Amino acid sequence: MNIAAQSWERREASSFFHTFTDLPSMREDGPVVIDRGDGAYIVDTAGRRFFEGNSGLWNMTLGFSEQRLADVAVRQYRDFPGYHTFFGRNSKPTVELAETMLALAPLPMSRAFFTNSGSEANESVVKLLWLMWAAEGQPQRRKLLTRRNAYHGATVMASALTGKDYVKAFGLPGPEIVTLDCPHAWRFALPGESDEEFCARLAANLEARILAEKPETIAGMFAEPVMGAGGVIVPPEGYFAAIQPILKKYGIPLVGDEVICGFGRTAKLWGALAVGQQPDIVVASKSMSAGYFPMGAVMLSADIDKRATAACEAWEEFPHGFTTGGHPVGCAISLEAIRIITREGVLENIRSVGALFQAGLRRLADHPMVGEARGLGLMGALEMVADKKTKQSFDGSLRIGERIAREARERGFIIRPLGGSIVLAPPFISTHAQIEELLAVLKEVLDVVYASVGRG
């Protein structure tokens, strides 16, 4: 490694406090400081070139050098560099983006507003639901349904909605969070249970839990169409068809968290269209700006819009918002990113290379270390097991996912370890050749790590 790269690494290590970073790996490998991007690749300060197999954090879907997005940003900065959406004011790109997103929504939606992230969008929905129910004379409706292994963000309530063990580090979740079954049939189905039976059981469990908690205390349910950071958990066919009638029976709004799935990741424009979800509220982020600006969005159905608007009347406003929510530059970038995805053949490319990607992952399921290969479109995961028959995971001390990620990085590929699994989400602009190379490297890396497991 050259002296300049070492200097950047020392500066980084002495000044930056990392989030969501495996500390043992940091101690062993040190940080990677990125210098520039080129299509689906990133280049670090040492000149090493990596294929970004996770699109950054699912979000850099059009790659790292899309000039059209940079040009739009420059033009908007020159015309009108920043503003807010408070006090009845707005900017032209913000209005245009709201119209565009409503026109493209997976189900008819009435109005939209913008935040700076998916976390903020989910946090906003919690406040909106509580405001709405209180105005309707049901202030006790504060409980929120979520699912084991869900990920809904990093703000306080979004973290509470996240069904992962690490949230306990912050004393979360609180009594207002009700955690339901994870729809991961491979891991949680009973022996001999079909997908249909598994879905029916989860639906029965949902209704039983609603009744136990008392329906009149529940404000809403949050659900990703495909659980992304939970390990790319694709629900079995019929899952949402089984649970949605129960939610409607008890008047519980369904919030579709499309932060990862939205705008093409599943090979459909929306994850809801891929899995039969019918949300009352849609949350979006990440791909809506292709990662070129921090953006989040909330879209409300006509029923929720009417009820939320009525609730705001008592306060003469919706007393919530963010200084840079609906930022004109971010909205201009998002408009162009959505245009490229929907009109420049990107969705078609996702479907084409996604089919190759999914077929390759399924072939890797035959590897002796892989328990399950799963995914949809350009999102996938490989779950590592010590015993394929019993589905027993490797001991955590072996840090299998981290080993696989390190070996891949040494070969010029960035993939994400997630416990004993690895998660992949290549950019939407990936080529067939790049996907084939990624799959070949994965096979090689799995062989190398499998050979080393016996030595610990």
Side-chain angles (χ1 to χ4, degrees):
M1 186 177 296
N2 61 42
I3 295 175
Q6 290 175 345
S7 173
W8 275 108
E9 290 189 358
R10 284 195 299 270
R11 290 167 62 182
E12 201 272 0
S14 65
S15 64
F16 195 81
F17 189 93
H18 271 276
T19 56
F20 281 117
T21 298
D22 183 71
L23 296 180
S25 293
M26 275 288 290
R27 287 191 288 268
E28 294 168 11
D29 303 333
V32 176
V33 180
I34 309 305
D35 181 47
R36 63 188 184 277
D38 178 18
Y41 296 87
I42 56 174
V43 181
D44 72 3
T45 51
R48 296 176 299 184
R49 183 177 169 90
F50 304 95
F51 178 81
E52 232 303 353
N54 288 94
S55 303
L57 279 175
W58 313 87
N59 59 332
M60 302 300 296
T61 51
L62 299 180
F64 299 86
S65 57
E66 178 48 72
Q67 189 61 44
R68 288 172 290 185
L69 297 182
D71 291 343
V72 161
V74 170
R75 284 198 300 271
Q76 187 58 49
Y77 273 122
R78 286 174 177 161
D79 291 343
F80 191 48
Y83 207 57
H84 58 81
T85 61
F86 290 19
F87 320 128
R89 297 172 196 151
N90 218 321
S91 68
K92 288 167 58 178
T94 312
V95 175
E96 289 182 49
L97 181 60
E99 292 174 336
T100 297
M101 292 193 65
L102 293 172
L104 295 174
L107 291 171
M109 291 282 145
S110 179
R111 285 194 292 175
F113 66 89
F114 300 115
T115 66
N116 304 294
S117 68
S119 298
E120 288 183 359
N122 280 319
E123 193 94 358
S124 299
V125 171
V126 171
K127 292 173 73 176
L128 184 143
L129 288 172
W130 286 346
L131 173 74
M132 182 184 79
W133 284 117
E136 294 177 353
Q138 299 187 66
Q140 76 284 356
R141 276 197 184 252
R142 294 186 61 85
K143 292 180 183 176
L144 303 162
L145 306 180
T146 187
R147 300 175 298 173
R148 180 180 176 188
N149 285 332
Y151 183 84
H152 294 293
T155 52
V156 173
M157 285 309 303
S159 289
L161 287 165
T162 293
K164 290 175 167 289
D165 286 343
Y166 68 75
V167 300
K168 296 174 183 176
F170 310 105
L172 301 169
E176 289 161 329
I177 305 299
V178 178
T179 303
L180 307 168
D181 299 301
C182 173
H184 187 185
W186 177 82
R187 177 59 73 186
F188 298 116
L190 301 175
E193 190 174 43
S194 68
D195 281 353
E196 183 179 3
E197 292 166 336
F198 176 68
C199 292
R201 178 165 62 85
L202 265 56
N205 289 350
L206 168 63
E207 184 160 29
R209 189 66 184 275
I210 289 172
L211 292 172
E213 297 288 339
K214 298 182 180 179
E216 64 273 16
T217 68
I218 299 173
M221 178 174 177
F222 287 72
E224 303 155 89
V226 177
M227 300 172 79
V232 189
I233 307 301
V234 183
E237 185 176 353
Y239 168 74
F240 281 106
I243 69 166
Q244 284 166 168
I246 296 168
L247 298 174
K248 290 187 181 299
K249 178 179 178 180
Y250 296 104
I252 299 170
L254 175 60
V255 182
D257 184 340
E258 294 267 7
V259 168
I260 285 174
C261 296
F263 292 105
R265 179 58 68 186
T266 65
K268 298 282 189 179
L269 188 61
W270 299 96
L273 299 175
V275 300
Q277 190 190 62
Q278 297 181 326
D280 301 287
I281 300 171
V282 174
V283 168
S285 185
K286 296 193 184 288
S287 297
M288 66 181 281
S289 68
Y292 279 61
F293 200 93
M295 288 291 295
V298 176
M299 293 189 286
L300 309 176
S301 68
D303 176 63
I304 297 294
D305 181 10
K306 180 180 178 181
R307 294 165 66 188
T309 300
C312 293
E313 289 294 338
W315 302 94
E316 298 183 346
E317 64 180 359
F318 180 28
H320 172 77
F322 303 96
T323 302
T324 50
H327 194 287
V329 177
C331 290
I333 291 171
S334 294
L335 281 165
E336 181 66 2
I338 293 169
R339 187 195 68 78
I340 292 170
I341 290 169
T342 57
R343 300 184 189 177
E344 296 290 332
V346 174
L347 265 178
E348 290 75 11
N349 188 64
I350 295 169
R351 291 166 186 147
S352 178
V353 298
L356 175 67
F357 176 61
Q358 294 299 329
L361 286 182
R362 299 310 190 273
R363 287 194 300 272
L364 290 173
D366 294 332
H367 193 278
M369 195 165 63
V370 177
E372 184 189 31
R374 56 183 180 263
L376 198 61
L378 276 177
M379 60 192 305
L382 298 175
E383 182 136 351
M384 305 303 152
V385 292
D387 189 311
K388 289 174 79 79
K389 290 183 179 179
T390 65
K391 303 180 184 179
Q392 179 185 349
S393 300
F394 284 97
D395 188 283
S397 64
L398 291 173
R399 301 174 64 240
I400 293 297
E402 295 291 339
R403 288 191 190 193
I404 293 170
R406 179 185 294 124
E407 292 289 341
R409 190 168 63 248
E410 290 179 357
R411 291 160 175 78
F413 286 80
I414 301 290
I415 61 175
R416 178 179 177 180
L418 193 68
S421 302
I422 57 169
V423 171
L424 301 108
F428 294 174
I429 60 170
S430 300
T431 66
H432 286 75
Q434 289 166 344
I435 294 297
E436 287 173 349
E437 188 178 5
L438 171 63
L439 293 166
V441 167
L442 278 175
K443 173 64 168 63
E444 178 184 342
V445 166
L446 290 175
D447 289 342
V448 168
V449 173
Y450 183 61
S452 72
V453 168
R455 296 193 293 273

